Every structure is written in C-alpha cells, then in structure tokens.
Amino acid sequence: MRILRLPAALAALAIAATACSSDGGDSGGGGEYPRNETLYTTGTAWGPPTSWNPMMRGQYTVGTIGLVYEPLFLFDGETGEYVHWLAESDEWPSENVHEITLREGVTWTDGEPLVADDVVTTLELGKLDGSPYSNVWNYVESVEATDERTVTVTFSENRPQEWMNWAYANPIVPDHIWSELSETDVTDGPNENPVGTGSYVYESHTDDRMVWERNDDWWATEALDLDMDARYIVDIVNASNEVTMGMLNQNEVDLSNNFLPGIDQVLNSNENITSFYDGPPYMKSANTAWLVPNLTREPLDDPDFRQALAHAIDLEQIVEGPYANLVQPASPTGLLPEWDDYIDHELVEDKGFTYSASEAVAILEEAGYLDEDGDGYVETPDGEPISLTLEVPSGWTDWMEAARLIATNAQDVGINIEAQFPDFDLLVDNRNAGEFDLIINNERQLSNTPWTYYDYLFQLPVQEQQSTVNFHRYENEEAWALTEQLAAVPVDDVEGAAEITSQLQEIQLTDLPAIPLWYNGLWAQSTNEYWTNWPSEHEGTPNSPATLWNGWFELGAITTLA
C-alpha cells in the first residue's frame, strides 16, 4: 500500500488569518464570536441541524464526520496515496490480513484514550440492520484487538480496494460509549453530545447555523504539526443563492460551497473573492452528473435508443448556458479527471459517443424508431407512441435549465421528452422505487478507487428499493463480476485495475446503462478579508479541497482548515 506521510511543512501552506483582521464582533450575525477567530461557511446544509450521529449518513450535521469523528486514514486524490491518520502504521502480513496500529496519545474529548477496541466496536456496528456499512461483513471474517493499540482484520474474501474505501471513508467511534447504546440509538439517535477525537467540538446550534469550537487538545497539533487557527467554525444554513452572494460580497461568509449562478462575473470583477482556478471552469471537479434512464421501461430498455439519446445531447450548450463554463463535459466513461489512468482512451475513441443530431437520427432509423404518424416524434418499432419525462428537483436551477435543454435536444431528433420539476423528497422516493422515466443524478463522488464508481453503475442484485446505487436497474452479471474482481485488486496495482476497468468500459460504452453528462464542480468560493491562502492553482498555496461537504474531509479538506 502506498502511504503518504503528512509533511510538517503542510501547516505553513494552510489557510491563515490575515494580520490586519480586527477583534470585532460577529459580523456573520448571531452569537459573539471574534471575527478574526471565526471561519464562516455556507453551502453544506439546507435545513436546521438535528443529528450528530455519524451512522445516519445523509442526515448528520456537516462536520460530524471530519471535525468530530475521524477515520483511520485519509486519501489524497491528487497523489493517489493513503495518509495515516488515527492509524500510525499498517501492514499486510498476508493477503487476507490487515494489521493496523493506532497512534499513541490520541484521546477522545471526554479524556478516554483511543484504543483498539474502538475500531473493533465500530466495525461490529456494521452487523446491525440499518448500518450504513453492513456490506463490509460480506468480506470481513473477523476483527480483533490483539493489544491495546493493534487491530487485526481478517478477510473471508480479499477485497483491498473495497476495504480501504471503508478504512478512509468511515469514522471511528468510542467503544466505551457506543457499545452501551441500543440498536435504535446507534442507527437513529441524534447523538446530541458527540464525543470524538477530532479538531472541533460541539459548541451550539440554532435553526440557521451550526457552531463548532476548536479542540485545543487535538492530537494532530503535536503529532502532525497541524494548527487550527479558526477557534470557531460557523456553518450557516443555505437560504438562497442571492443571500449567499450578498454575504460573500459583504465578507460575512469566508467560504461558500454553493453553486452560485453568475459567480464567474463576480470572480472576474472582485479580487477579494477567489476560487481554485483563475478562469473557466474556476472550480475542480467533484462528481459526475449522469442522465439515468429507468431500464425497466420501454423504450429506455433498448441500448440503441439510449445510444441515440446520448448522441442527441449537446453538452456544450449546457456547459456554456446554465453553467457559464463553470463545469466541464464528462468523458464518455464518466470517470473523473483524477481517474485518467483507468480510462481506456483507444476504446473511448472507438466506442465513445459525441454530440451529433444526424447520428442520433440515423441510429433511431436503423433501430426502427420512425415517425409514422407525422407528429414530429418517433414511435417504437411496434408503432407505440413514446412520451418520456426527465425529472430534476424543483429549485435546482442549474439542473432545471439543463433538463430543459436535454428535452429540447431530444425533441429535435424526434424523441418526445418533457422536463418536470417535482419536490426533492418526492423525486427521491420515486427514484428509489423505480417510478420514473429519466432523472439526473450525481450520487458518487471522487474516492480512493474507481471501484466505487462501477459499484454505483453495476451493483447487483437489484432490490425493490434502490436507495444508493444502480437507480437505472441495470442487470448484467458479467459487469458485476468484473466489478467484484476490481474490488480484489491490490490498492497500488493501477495497471491491474486498469485492465478490468477497460473491460467494464467496453460493456458501459456498448450498453450505456446511464449516460455521463458533465463533471459537477467542487463549488468553493472564498473571501480573503479575514482568511487567506485558500487552495488554488498557484504555486505555494494548498492543493487540497476547500469544502465542508460530507465525504470531503477524508479527502484532505481537514488539512485545508489546518
């Protein structure tokens, strides 16, 4: 396994309070927090904080995992290397045994030491119904505390790609608290007094914000020379794009992780507001937006029809229109730029789709989709009319405009698609139950391995409720077997993994079970009035993520704050 040891010099590259900052009160509104010691953020929460339970994925307050609870490793997406975090070292004495040694001197915020039993209990919580990582026990045979700081994990099935995804993406919880909780409290309790090992602790919350206070006893200050200059982090619940833009312009928020229409004009006119790149696309890529067809419905179950639809979509229209070049078109494989080593470029050149209305029409005609009744729209080869809906959440203005463009593109080649905008919760319920024609989805982000991406596309078996993966309900035993083979490739064997991803891309590009659209941006707009040295493309600044989004602390965002 490739391990990256965090250099002490990283502390010098982290965001810093500007020397000219005053000790004025809380200009962010509400609470008395010294402005030059307080980092104001927004763009992560859309409702009041209600849970600090790291087991309630998608519902816990932002920062619960990352600021309070920490994983064994981080993963550096730029270098492709794992970073020892709560783990001080690790080794594989055999291919099905992983031995992890914890750091000495790490304590929970109630004063108890971090011990191997904490890791054992955390893993064993995966056996509970409703655990977000119950699948880990599909290949873990046992976990044992072999001494106070050593954990030995034995695998019934060797899946290092999948296992290391767990090891960096899942936080460790304290055995002396969580082993005493009821099953309901573990999976559904609010955990209102979170006890973690991390750099911040719960300070207070209101309906419109979450306030974290620095943990001055954080282990990484001494062990890794990482200092958190911000005494407080105040994460403000999103109100609207207009409100957020106003707060940025007034220096009332230091970091916004919203998508902000028109931010390109602000970045070009206001030197105090910056993003990662000076020009388009301004932000790094975070995840892939997919056009997801319901493969249980005709004619979406026909690969030829899906190929025609893919060729009909003018991605440049979307990139230059609703996004004003804030995003980039996705590779036909959908793999993010950081996964370029896993893309079979010759195969993409041969089988990848590109925008061509004439090609879309030709594919439809050859497959028997013709406009026999002269209404401007093709019918199925059996003569049945086609009427499809493309749904995205109401209020998601960028996706709404993209959906309209996709519908128009489809209509231009004779495919009758109408864009619709239901409430988010209704869309999710219908998506999970398979009650939809077409949706846009971006549920899988950058990770330590493209296995997570193919797990999203191909996971079997298809359930009655598909809540996290394979919303399209694609059933291909060969693709799923290859995905499971990918999970078993050693984590440092890029060439071996690429051989398998090439075979997966052959299936994906032929069948197009879902259609890659664009790379969603890692939205991060920062002001430099009170805090400086944000991550950017410029030499001498950090290259880590500038976001408080769930799942990104473990990808290095925690070091951005240091």
Side-chain angles (χ1 to χ4, degrees):
M1 182 191 310
R2 293 173 294 170
I3 296 293
L4 173 66
R5 291 222 174 250
L6 217 59
L10 180 61
L13 290 178
I15 61 170
T18 55
C20 62
S21 297
S22 68
D23 290 322
D26 171 28
S27 67
E32 296 298 326
Y33 304 109
R35 187 62 179 92
N36 67 321
E37 292 185 315
T38 306
L39 183 71
Y40 285 93
T41 62
T42 190
T44 58
W46 297 90
T50 58
S51 170
W52 296 263
N53 184 341
M55 303 292 283
M56 295 176 67
R57 304 298 162 86
Q59 299 177 57
Y60 62 78
T61 301
V62 170
T64 298
I65 297 179
L67 297 181
V68 177
Y69 297 100
E70 301 179 294
L72 295 167
F73 303 87
L74 304 187
F75 183 75
D76 186 331
E78 294 295 323
T79 64
E81 296 184 321
Y82 297 90
V83 180
H84 285 120
W85 204 245
L86 291 182
E88 183 175 73
S89 63
D90 72 302
E91 62 177 339
W92 293 78
S94 66
E95 71 170 16
N96 68 328
V97 176
H98 193 191
E99 193 171 274
I100 300 166
T101 301
L102 300 177
R103 290 187 186 275
E104 191 170 9
V106 178
T107 59
W108 298 95
T109 48
D110 62 2
E112 293 290 321
L114 173 75
V115 292
D117 281 337
D118 299 324
V119 180
V120 173
T121 292
T122 301
L123 260 172
E124 289 187 338
L125 291 176
K127 295 177 178 178
L128 298 178
D129 290 338
S131 168
Y133 49 85
S134 57
N135 64 319
V136 76
W137 286 96
N138 292 341
Y139 58 92
V140 171
E141 180 176 291
S142 65
V143 56
E144 180 185 2
T146 45
D147 63 41
E148 190 172 70
R149 289 174 47 229
T150 306
V151 180
T152 301
V153 185
T154 303
F155 304 95
S156 57
E157 198 175 324
N158 191 30
R159 300 189 197 176
Q161 300 268 343
E162 190 170 353
W163 163 247
M164 286 307 297
N165 181 258
W166 187 93
Y168 97 86
N170 286 272
I172 305 304
V173 298
D175 164 73
H176 65 277
I177 294 175
W178 286 75
S179 63
E180 303 296 322
L181 298 179
S182 69
E183 183 172 339
T184 300
D185 283 339
V186 168
T187 58
D188 297 307
N191 191 38
E192 291 169 325
N193 298 298
V195 173
T197 56
S199 50
Y200 285 82
V201 298
Y202 173 97
E203 197 269 355
S204 64
H205 78 279
T206 60
D207 282 351
D208 76 332
R209 66 192 56 209
M210 177 66 220
V211 183
W212 302 103
E213 184 172 8
R214 185 177 60 214
N215 174 16
D216 288 331
D217 296 321
W218 186 39
W219 61 270
T221 303
E222 182 176 340
L224 299 175
D225 198 24
L226 296 177
D227 292 310
M228 292 295 181
D229 284 335
R231 181 179 173 190
Y232 300 100
I233 296 176
V234 179
D235 189 55
I236 300 169
V237 173
N238 288 286
S240 70
N241 291 335
E242 293 77 12
V243 170
T244 299
M245 194 76 88
M247 295 178 79
L248 275 172
N249 282 316
Q250 297 300 318
N251 299 309
E252 292 177 354
V253 66
D254 304 298
L255 173 66
S256 165
N257 296 132
N258 291 69
F259 166 71
L260 297 174
I263 191 63
D264 55 314
Q265 300 170 45
V266 175
L267 290 168
N268 289 327
S269 62
N270 187 340
E271 292 183 357
N272 191 50
I273 300 176
T274 55
S275 58
F276 190 85
Y277 299 112
D278 291 339
Y282 298 99
M283 327 283 171
K284 288 186 171 183
S285 298
N287 52 54
T288 304
W290 293 85
L291 181 63
V292 178
N294 184 344
L295 304 188
T296 67
R297 295 188 174 181
E298 295 182 354
L300 297 169
D301 60 344
D302 181 356
D304 288 331
F305 186 84
R306 299 195 295 270
Q307 287 283 353
L309 182 55
H311 282 84
I313 299 169
D314 186 349
L315 285 176
E316 289 298 335
Q317 253 191 340
I318 296 172
V319 169
E320 296 173 4
Y323 281 109
N325 292 302
L326 290 171
V327 301
Q328 296 175 296
S331 158
T333 68
L335 287 178
L336 288 158
E338 288 84 351
W339 284 331
D340 188 69
D341 288 346
Y342 301 97
I343 296 176
D344 185 335
H345 291 282
E346 288 186 12
L347 181 65
V348 172
E349 185 70 25
D350 181 41
K351 289 203 164 188
F353 62 88
T354 57
Y355 167 63
S356 171
S358 60
E359 180 68 13
V361 169
I363 293 170
L364 288 170
E365 289 180 350
E366 186 173 346
Y369 294 91
L370 304 171
D371 178 16
E372 299 285 8
D373 61 10
D375 67 350
Y377 299 120
V378 299
E379 291 88 51
T380 69
D382 294 332
E384 295 297 321
I386 297 171
S387 180
L388 302 170
T389 59
L390 168 55
E391 299 177 51
V392 300
S394 177
W396 293 30
T397 54
D398 50 331
W399 282 21
M400 290 168 69
E401 184 57 30
R404 291 189 185 99
L405 289 171
I406 291 169
T408 299
N409 290 162
Q411 291 165 11
D412 288 344
V413 300
I415 299 175
N416 185 12
I417 295 178
E418 177 190 353
Q420 294 185 355
F421 314 118
D423 288 339
F424 175 77
D425 290 341
L426 176 61
L427 186 150
V428 169
D429 288 344
N430 289 339
R431 177 199 71 192
N432 293 357
E435 297 296 329
F436 68 92
D437 292 333
L438 294 151
I439 58 171
I440 296 176
N441 186 259
N442 64 337
E443 295 281 313
R444 282 288 163 100
Q445 63 179 34
L446 179 66
S447 75
N448 64 315
T449 165
W451 166 81
T452 57
Y453 169 80
Y454 290 110
D455 180 60
Y456 169 85
L457 279 181
F458 299 129
Q459 189 184 108
L460 293 179
V462 172
Q463 310 284 348
E464 186 175 336
Q465 291 284 322
Q466 291 287 109
S467 59
T468 57
V469 297
N470 198 353
F471 300 120
H472 35 293
R473 289 169 156 71
Y474 179 64
E475 299 191 60
N476 185 316
E477 296 286 350
E478 180 188 1
W480 180 233
L482 285 167
T483 302
E484 293 195 295
Q485 287 180 36
L486 181 59
V489 174
V491 292
D492 57 355
D493 186 2
V494 174
E495 186 175 335
E499 290 178 8
I500 297 174
T501 60
S502 174
Q503 296 175 68
L504 286 164
Q505 286 158 35
E506 175 87 33
I507 295 170
Q508 180 224 333
L509 293 173
T510 300
D511 272 9
L512 280 185
I515 300 169
L517 296 173
W518 65 85
Y519 297 131
N520 248 16
L522 185 63
W523 313 126
Q525 297 90 188
S526 48
T527 60
N528 290 271
E529 184 74 13
Y530 296 99
W531 300 93
T532 60
N533 205 39
W534 296 95
S536 78
E537 63 181 322
H538 299 293
E539 190 174 347
T541 62
N543 195 27
S544 49
T547 183
L548 269 68
W549 285 349
N550 295 334
W552 285 86
F553 286 102
E554 307 91 284
L555 290 169
I558 190 64
T559 61
T560 301
L561 300 176

